Amino acid sequence: MAKRATSTPLVFAHYMLVMQPKDGDYTQDINLAKEAGIDAFAVNYGGWNVDWTQQEGYLEKFYRTAETLNFHLFLSIDTTSVKDTGMIIDLSNKYSSSSAQLKVDGKVMLSSFQTDPPAWNWETDVVAKINSPVLFLPGSLSDDAAALFSNEIPGDGPFPWIHTSKTTEQEHSLDVALASQRDSSGKKWMAAVAPWFFTRLSPDKNWSQAQDDSIFVERWVSLLSLKPDFIEIVTWNDWSESSYIGPAAQKTTDVYWADLEHSPFRALSKAFGKAFKAGGKTVTVDEADEGVYMFYRLQPASKLGSSDTLPLPTDSSNLKDDVFVVSLLSEAADITLKSGGAAPVTWSAPAGLQKTSHTWSLGTQSLQAKRRDKVVADKTGPAIVGQMDKYNGNVVAL
């Protein structure tokens, strides 16, 4: 078995540079990330319909804002659109001396998002030409753990993305294999975790995900035991795929589903990230970090919208029509869920982390948690309806 070079566990969030914050100001996103215990943004450089001059300007402003706020960034090269290795080298060299540039063990952090290997050789055509030592963790959609850690794959270890069509059990089995390969190879492993996935942009981009409610909480719990070197939350702001933990998007025609609140996923990431960095396998909750959250879709999984032109999204048959409740408690508390016109359901939730599922009824959803007559949480969410104008497979989280 190879000797593993260990680094301090860190938590990142994948930031889509093409999806700009309000007024082009990164201050709110950085401050929210810091509050959530996120150590750096992995800046997705590239994307769709990119104006490269504009993109360079966005990146410059992002680094300058991060410098001011004492936060870190690193490049994640989107090879679906970036085709020029000179661009990658120039950008890496430009920001390698920035105080905002994330360095791990003295090396500039560099990653990628790629659906297929690019035309170039990462080691000889890019990494070797950067003027600083580089820790390179290339992204991949592969599910072959042995191949990902093979010496034929360039870099210091893989960054496998979430596999949306795998079940929770299948994804977990892959993670176990990745952890084993990491330990035997001596390389690093950056794991991905996502709050949700749903998109409905076109006939060939119309999908949900097979892991349903287990994609986030159960995956975090599993990763606490498997202990990857780094965890990257995918994503901070990809509203088009409903995978954001940052602020929701403004309502638009193209991504009409992306204005739903997801901030509880950020709060949960803080608790899980704290445990991950401490080397723990369970989440310990202080009174200041207590919270009770619920998330659910606004419509039945199997019901097309009244004006839909697309079929049901791929993997929608794996989605349950449930309200999911997640509690982080310093002491036990009684939780009551009122779903639509159904009778309220009350249960005693223990200290620590708990997640429960409850079949929904149409109508408004409300939740209250009490301990010794003190209200710990009290929230009301939007109504679940029998049919929407357009199918919405995103979740609202409160």
Side-chain angles (χ1 to χ4, degrees):
M1 178 178 291
K3 184 178 180 181
R4 222 180 112 212
T6 58
S7 302
T8 302
L10 298 172
V11 177
F12 313 128
H14 200 83
Y15 196 105
M16 305 298 293
L17 194 59
V18 295
M19 295 186 173
Q20 284 287 288
K22 185 178 180 181
D23 300 323
D25 186 353
Y26 302 100
T27 301
Q28 181 189 33
D29 283 340
I30 289 174
N31 285 334
L32 288 173
K34 290 172 71 172
E35 289 173 14
I38 291 168
D39 298 294
F41 281 139
V43 183
N44 191 99
Y45 195 81
W48 48 93
N49 301 321
V50 177
D51 177 325
W52 293 110
T53 300
Q54 186 181 61
Q55 188 98 154
E56 288 179 27
Y58 291 161
L59 188 64
E60 172 81 20
K61 186 174 182 180
F62 209 170
Y63 265 91
R64 299 303 166 235
T65 307
E67 288 171 354
T68 301
L69 296 174
N70 194 28
F71 190 64
H72 290 109
L73 310 174
F74 64 93
L75 289 170
S76 182
I77 303 300
D78 191 333
T79 64
T80 64
S81 57
V82 174
K83 305 300 179 184
D84 178 7
T85 57
M87 176 190 295
I88 306 169
I89 296 163
D90 290 345
L91 290 172
S92 298
N93 286 336
K94 178 177 181 178
Y95 294 108
S96 63
S97 60
S98 168
S99 62
Q101 173 61 51
L102 178 70
K103 293 183 180 179
V104 176
D105 301 329
K107 297 180 179 180
V108 170
M109 184 79 162
L110 177 66
S111 187
S112 66
F113 173 80
Q114 49 195 62
T115 54
D116 296 296
W120 59 83
N121 182 296
W122 276 109
E123 291 286 2
T124 59
D125 298 335
V126 178
V127 173
K129 297 180 180 180
I130 295 173
N131 62 14
S132 300
V134 175
L135 181 71
F136 178 51
L137 301 175
S140 178
L141 298 182
S142 172
D143 61 0
D144 187 333
L148 284 168
F149 281 94
S150 166
N151 289 330
E152 296 178 4
I153 301 295
D156 299 288
F159 167 44
W161 202 258
I162 296 291
H163 303 87
T164 57
S165 289
K166 285 188 179 296
T167 65
T168 305
E169 294 75 16
Q170 290 169 334
E171 192 81 86
H172 175 71
S173 294
L174 174 58
D175 285 335
V176 170
L178 289 165
S180 176
Q181 291 290 333
R182 181 271 311 271
D183 293 343
S184 61
S185 70
K187 293 187 175 185
K188 297 185 183 297
W189 166 37
M190 183 157 69
V193 63
W196 197 255
F197 275 110
F198 165 74
T199 188
R200 199 166 170 79
L201 290 172
S202 65
D204 61 351
K205 193 165 184 179
N206 175 32
W207 42 264
S208 185
Q209 45 89 14
Q211 298 176 44
D212 194 21
D213 59 294
S214 299
I215 195 171
F216 189 68
V217 172
E218 283 83 346
R219 180 163 177 76
W220 262 114
V221 170
S222 173
L223 291 176
L224 290 182
S225 294
L226 294 174
K227 299 187 182 307
D229 297 272
F230 312 108
I231 292 178
E232 184 168 317
I233 301 166
V234 295
T235 64
W236 181 265
N237 64 334
D238 193 344
W239 303 307
S240 70
E241 294 188 357
S242 308
S243 61
Y244 55 94
I245 67 165
Q250 298 297 310
K251 191 81 168 182
T252 68
T253 302
D254 291 339
V255 288
Y256 59 86
W257 54 84
D259 64 337
L260 299 181
E261 184 66 37
H262 276 195
S263 59
F265 294 124
R266 197 164 62 245
L268 292 167
S269 294
K270 179 179 181 179
F272 282 118
K274 184 178 179 180
F276 171 64
K277 294 176 193 180
K281 293 186 178 181
T282 58
V283 175
T284 301
V285 183
D286 299 325
E287 185 175 357
D289 295 327
E290 281 195 316
V292 182
Y293 310 101
M294 61 177 172
F295 64 98
Y296 55 91
R297 284 172 293 99
L298 300 179
Q299 61 146 88
S302 61
K303 188 68 173 178
L304 284 172
S306 58
S307 63
D308 264 322
T309 57
L310 295 174
L312 288 171
T314 303
D315 288 318
S316 60
S317 60
N318 292 288
L319 305 179
K320 298 183 289 292
D321 290 342
D322 286 354
V323 176
F324 308 104
V325 179
V326 184
S327 54
L328 289 172
L329 297 172
S330 61
E331 297 180 59
D334 293 326
I335 300 176
T336 299
L337 175 70
K338 179 72 169 66
S339 181
V345 178
T346 300
W347 68 97
S348 180
L353 170 72
Q354 184 192 59
K355 176 170 164 286
T356 59
S357 303
H358 309 269
T359 302
W360 75 33
S361 291
L362 300 182
T364 300
Q365 311 297 307
S366 62
L367 176 151
Q368 187 178 77
K370 296 180 71 175
R371 179 191 300 127
R372 296 187 291 274
D373 296 325
K374 177 184 176 182
V375 175
V376 177
D378 191 355
K379 51 191 63 177
T380 299
I384 297 170
V385 299
Q387 185 181 39
M388 306 190 81
D389 176 46
K390 292 183 178 180
Y391 187 96
N392 191 342
N394 192 9
V395 289
V396 62
L398 304 158

